[in-house]
């Protein structure tokens, strides 16, 4: 079994119990980012005009609530610093039901139809976000009524799928590249996989992983299916360090260039501890 350690160490677990640790005099200068996960609500606060201002942590969701909506509502309302008048709020949804669409799809009803065609069992609401650097869009599901609550509470703040910032960040990294690259991000007993053929997005998906063998098998299967070269193309890993070290050791048996992804230097302006924050929230901050 893979052992996924907490992604954020030595930080606040509940804002309402640590309000003395948050000293934001002018919230209109700050950005709030929230990531909705099935079990927790993760947050990141920072002032883009000032270095070393990152505040990050997570709030466990009460799984005994009648609905996911109620659990999210309680987490937000019970932690009043989330409701300050921030200059910018950005939302990220960690959901397994999604579909990549051509950039020309702009009608949300069409996006909803295409998503439900892929997942006929859907009961929630559909949101649509753009991956501007990749030149595609992504339709994804949110639990019933969660989208409406977030838009009312955070003044129509944009919401994106958790793969969106990873794809757009790595698309910038791969521009004018002469090799194909696969990126793996490990978190929450799952593996995000983003693959580029030079500067063109080929694959973006998230897989549950229970063991090193699972992760390595899925990566190698995708590598072979996409016709990637084991001698010249690259595989880069980020996320939980213990897990990526295990998977890297396995993958190096088959692929020549397997390495940790270089952590964005720009992220270190947010905090010297930025590497402890979830990578999708870090890349979301960098893709403003």
């Amino acid at each position: 079994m893979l052992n996924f350690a907490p992604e954020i160490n030595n930080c606040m677990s509940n804002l309402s119990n640590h309000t003395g640790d948050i000293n934001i005099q002018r919230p209109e200068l700050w950005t709030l980012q929230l990531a909705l996960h099935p079990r927790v609500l993760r947050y990141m606060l920072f002032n883009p005009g000032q270095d070393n201002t990152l505040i990050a942590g997570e709030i466990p969701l009460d799984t005994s609530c009648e609905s996911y909506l109620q659990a999210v509502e309680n987490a937000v309302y019970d932690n009043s610093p989330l409701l300050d008048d921030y200059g910018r709020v950005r939302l990220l949804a960690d959901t397994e039901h999604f579909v990549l669409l051509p950039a020309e799809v702009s009608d949300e009803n069409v996006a909803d139809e295409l998503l439900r065609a892929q997942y006929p069992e859907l009961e929630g609401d559909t949101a649509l976000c753009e991956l501007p650097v990749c030149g595609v869009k992504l339709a994804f599901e949110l639990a019933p009524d969660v989208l409406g609550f977030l838009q009312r509470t955070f003044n129509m703040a944009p919401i994106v799928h958790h793969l969106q910032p990873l794809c757009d960040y790595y698309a910038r990294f791969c521009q004018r590249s002469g090799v194909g690259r696969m990126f793996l991000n490990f978190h929450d007993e799952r593996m995000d996989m983003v693959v580029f053929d030079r500067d063109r997005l080929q694959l973006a998906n998230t897989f549950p992983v229970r063991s090193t063998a699972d992760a390595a098998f899925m990566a190698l299967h995708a590598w072979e299916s996409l016709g990637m070269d084991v001698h010249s193309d690259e595989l880069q890993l980020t996320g939980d360090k213990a897990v990526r070290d295990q998977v890297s050791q396995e993958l190096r048996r088959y692929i020549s260039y397997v390495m940790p992804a270089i952590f964005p230097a720009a992220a270190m302006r947010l905090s010297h501890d930025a590497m402890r924050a979830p990578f999708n929230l870090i890349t979301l901050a960098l893709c403003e």
Side-chain angles (χ1 to χ4, degrees):
M1 298 289 288
L2 292 179
N3 180 21
F4 282 78
E7 294 183 23
I8 305 175
N9 302 312
N10 301 321
C11 66
M12 297 167 290
S13 61
N14 190 302
L15 283 173
S16 62
N17 292 337
H18 298 271
T19 53
D21 294 331
I22 301 177
N23 184 22
I24 299 177
Q25 300 298 321
R26 298 184 63 187
E28 70 274 11
L29 300 179
W30 286 62
T31 294
L32 167 67
Q33 296 187 165
L34 291 177
L36 285 85
H37 182 273
R39 298 186 301 273
V40 298
L41 180 66
R42 294 187 171 118
Y43 63 87
M44 179 184 292
L45 288 159
F46 62 95
N47 182 341
Q50 185 177 348
D51 292 353
N52 298 316
T53 55
L54 179 68
I55 302 170
E58 61 183 36
I59 304 162
L61 296 179
D62 184 356
T63 56
S64 68
C65 289
E66 294 182 0
S67 67
Y68 184 72
L69 171 64
Q70 184 182 16
V72 172
E73 287 179 339
N74 291 346
V76 172
Y77 290 141
D78 291 346
N79 294 275
S80 57
L82 297 180
L83 299 170
D84 281 348
D85 190 16
Y86 295 106
R88 187 171 191 184
V89 178
R90 307 180 78 189
L91 308 170
L92 184 147
D94 192 330
T95 172
E96 62 181 3
H97 294 142
F98 70 94
V99 61
L100 289 168
L101 302 172
E104 293 75 22
V105 176
S106 57
D107 190 317
E108 293 186 358
N109 292 327
V110 173
D112 180 73
E113 291 177 3
L114 294 171
L115 181 65
R116 294 182 191 280
Q118 183 74 21
Y119 303 100
E121 73 277 14
L122 291 191
E123 297 179 352
D125 301 315
T126 298
L128 182 66
C129 68
E130 185 175 3
L131 284 66
V133 184
C134 297
V136 298
K137 290 183 179 175
L138 193 154
F140 57 99
E141 181 201 24
L142 288 167
D145 301 319
V146 169
L147 181 59
F149 165 71
L150 295 171
Q151 291 180 332
R152 291 191 304 272
T153 305
F154 296 105
N155 193 29
M156 300 300 291
I159 183 165
V160 300
H161 188 267
H162 75 273
L163 287 172
Q164 189 259 18
L166 297 178
C167 290
D168 269 4
Y169 172 76
Y170 283 128
R172 291 181 171 90
F173 182 82
C174 291
Q175 286 177 341
R176 296 178 297 277
S177 171
V179 299
R181 288 190 174 95
M182 174 181 289
F183 301 93
L184 304 178
N185 178 45
F186 295 97
H187 62 100
D188 303 305
E189 297 187 349
R190 289 182 298 162
M191 175 178 71
D192 299 326
M193 180 186 297
V194 177
V195 182
F196 287 88
D197 178 13
R198 281 66 177 176
D199 58 355
R200 182 173 64 89
L201 178 66
Q202 285 195 298
L203 183 150
N205 210 340
T206 298
F207 305 94
V209 290
R210 301 298 179 187
S211 67
T212 300
D214 278 351
F217 173 81
M218 286 184 284
L220 290 170
H221 178 71
W223 187 280
E224 182 177 2
S225 299
L226 295 171
M228 301 185 75
D229 192 314
V230 296
H231 300 294
S232 61
D233 292 336
E234 298 178 2
L235 194 155
Q236 301 189 20
L237 305 92
T238 189
D240 186 279
K241 184 179 186 302
V243 177
R244 75 174 188 244
D245 287 349
Q246 295 175 47
V247 177
S248 294
Q249 185 175 0
E250 182 71 17
L251 291 173
R252 287 191 181 107
R253 297 169 55 192
Y254 307 99
I255 299 171
S256 297
Y257 296 102
V258 178
M259 65 202 77
I262 299 173
F263 192 78
M268 302 306 292
R269 292 184 59 249
L270 300 174
S271 169
H272 297 304
D273 292 327
M275 294 180 69
R276 294 178 175 177
F279 195 62
N280 53 13
L281 282 177
I282 288 292
T283 51
L284 183 64
L286 299 180
C287 291
E288 292 195 47

